[in-house]
Amino acid sequence: MGNKVTFDTVFFDDFIERLEELGGSDLIKQAVDSSLKTAKAKVNEDIKKALVKPNMPKQGVYSTGKSKRAIDKDFKVKWNGNVGEIQI
């Protein structure tokens, strides 16, 4: 699909193992999940701000709104092992 933001938690493996008894890996994944969603919200906000007509060629005369409608609104984080990713 489009661009992605990824966060690889491989460097946290030792830490995760130590915290595993306390549910640590789930807590770290929750934190990463939240961070990725926050980053995506910021990216989406910045894209929307950039797509206002005054920023477009010819002040948006030829703008159809297609770019704004193409902003990904799915905030689901996909996990593959220790790597979390979200579409942007």
Side-chain angles (χ1 to χ4, degrees), residues 10 15-18 23 26 28 39 51 55 58 77-78:
V10 70
F15 182 68
I16 289 171
E17 287 177 23
R18 291 182 205 150
D26 288 336
I28 290 174
L51 291 176
N55 292 341
K58 296 288 268 184
V77 176
K78 179 182 170 191

Side-chain angles (χ1 to χ4, degrees), residues 6 8 13 16 21 25 28-32 34 38-40 42 45 51-52 62-65 67 70 75 78 82 85:
T6 62
D8 189 347
D13 283 346
I16 289 171
E21 297 164 3
S25 67
I28 290 174
K29 282 189 175 183
Q30 287 174 7
V32 170
S34 177
T38 299
K40 178 183 176 114
K42 176 66 173 139
E45 179 184 322
L51 291 176
V52 295
Y62 302 109
S63 175
T64 63
S67 295
F75 278 77
K78 179 182 170 191
N82 288 334
E85 62 185 32

Side-chain angles (χ1 to χ4, degrees), residues 32-56:
V32 170
D33 197 274
S34 177
S35 297
L36 288 171
K37 289 176 180 177
T38 299
K40 178 183 176 114
K42 176 66 173 139
V43 168
N44 281 2
E45 179 184 322
D46 290 348
I47 291 171
K48 287 177 187 174
K49 286 180 183 176
L51 291 176
V52 295
K53 289 192 178 208
N55 292 341
M56 301 287 219

